[in-house]
Amino acid sequence: MLIVDEPARRGNYTAALDGTDRWELVFAPGLDEALARLGGEGFDALVALIAPPRLDGIELLRRLQERFSRIPVVMVAEAATVETAAASLRLGAGDYLSAPLAAGELARSLDRLLKQERLGAEHELLRRQVERPYSFDDMIGTCPAMQKVFATIEQVAASDVDVLVVGDTGTGKELVARSIHRRSRRADRPFVPVDCGAIPENLLEGEFFGHERGAFTGAHERRIGLLEFADEGTFFLDELGELPLLLQAKLLRTLQERKIRRVGGRDEIDVDVRVVAATARDLDDMIQSERFRKDLYYRINVVRIDLPPLGSRGDDLGLLCEYFATRYSREMGKHLVGITPEAYQVLAQYSWPGNVRELQNVIRRAIALGHGTMIGLGDLPDALVQQAGQREAAAAGSAEANSAADSTQHGYFQMRERHMAAFERQYLTQLLSRHRGDVKLAAREARLPRGTLYRLMKNHGLDGASFR
């Protein structure tokens, strides 16, 4: 909307916008009419001419802040002063220009402000998504596979059944185990994790079951094992597939009878322990090659939870990026606004062989080494950027690219536009579905002017009536 008190001035603004093809101009002769129309219609931006006493720009900004604090405002002053400019910017004006305006000057200012608003809206959207019921204890996910994981945890946590968690390295298997423990009746008792692949084989039995004094050379005193220490709590066996066959047999007996015998001891000790085991290995294949006991597999696989790799979780990547960026910027005492679209496109194109753990470390590194308020391309590891560029080039059929670096540079803007279009369409579809096509309610939830929402819907061929 343009607030212009004299019709003769409108031509000047049209020229300053460099033509009207990209803009739908609406004129208002004064402040009261402008505020009335802002309340009933949706506008992307407002341009106001400061021409005292006809229009007091400071009063305009004060009243806008009371009712329409999010709409970008460009102030144009006939007689610009440092004091007026400072007051305008302090009260929330996005830009302050001096009349007469050069050709295209207003268009450039509006383009910049709307781009900033869009980035801010995307950042706010991701932040709100993280704060919604998409988080489950220390895990975040909206994809069907993760929603199934959350539902299964809720179903089994209150019982005492043993659980097998299967997933690639870095998918969050220990988080699942801790969530099960936290939601169980054992929550105030010990949670004892042990990495079967990190303890030497000759020490595993003593670590698991403990030993009596004199059981072997160097056993100068009795020591309780991890299973006994976890009594009435949860025993988390990470990397179950690394467990030696001999210890598999002893663990099977423990699971069946809930009793242990310390190394060198004769008495059996009752243990009330729940076992949650996790593995990244294919236990079926290990059973076929006789590297894993079939009876132990059937005993421990009472309930199985499969964790999806990050690459198959769709928009969860954006939620996780936002979550980690917020978390680590707060921990490091840095002011971080978000992630640039170009950097996010590279993150979205990367294959994430290390899954969520790798993403977590990449975001932490970017914040630790970065100096700006947003994570940009320069803050990402070179190898990650290069691999993402190679995948984009391959997907686009760019086999003739001269080098991985060239293909990376060539793909940035294509990646950005493709992602932004997919993001917008999916978000708008879900938004309109929730409100059954009611654009007013949808705009209120999205915190967007109705005009902006209508324009986005038009760009994606969406009609509110089709959602009713």
Side-chain angles (χ1 to χ4, degrees), residues 375-446:
I375 295 176
L377 284 175
D379 301 319
L380 302 180
D382 293 341
L384 185 152
V385 176
Q386 182 177 352
Q387 194 242 49
Q390 290 171 338
R391 293 189 74 207
E392 171 66 13
S398 302
E400 298 179 2
N402 293 327
S403 67
D406 289 339
S407 65
T408 302
Q409 293 296 331
H410 179 71
Y412 285 158
F413 294 104
Q414 293 175 343
M415 291 158 59
R416 174 183 177 181
E417 292 304 317
R418 185 178 301 118
H419 170 73
M420 291 307 302
F423 171 83
E424 283 182 354
R425 184 173 182 83
Q426 180 182 18
Y427 174 67
L428 292 173
T429 300
Q430 295 174 347
L431 181 70
L432 292 168
S433 296
R434 283 197 298 274
H435 295 287
R436 297 183 179 181
D438 190 322
V439 177
K440 181 178 180 180
L441 294 178
R444 185 179 302 166
E445 178 186 333

Side-chain angles (χ1 to χ4, degrees), residues 301-313:
N301 189 24
V302 180
V303 174
R304 173 169 170 153
I305 296 178
D306 289 281
L307 282 173
L310 180 57
S312 68
R313 289 177 56 179

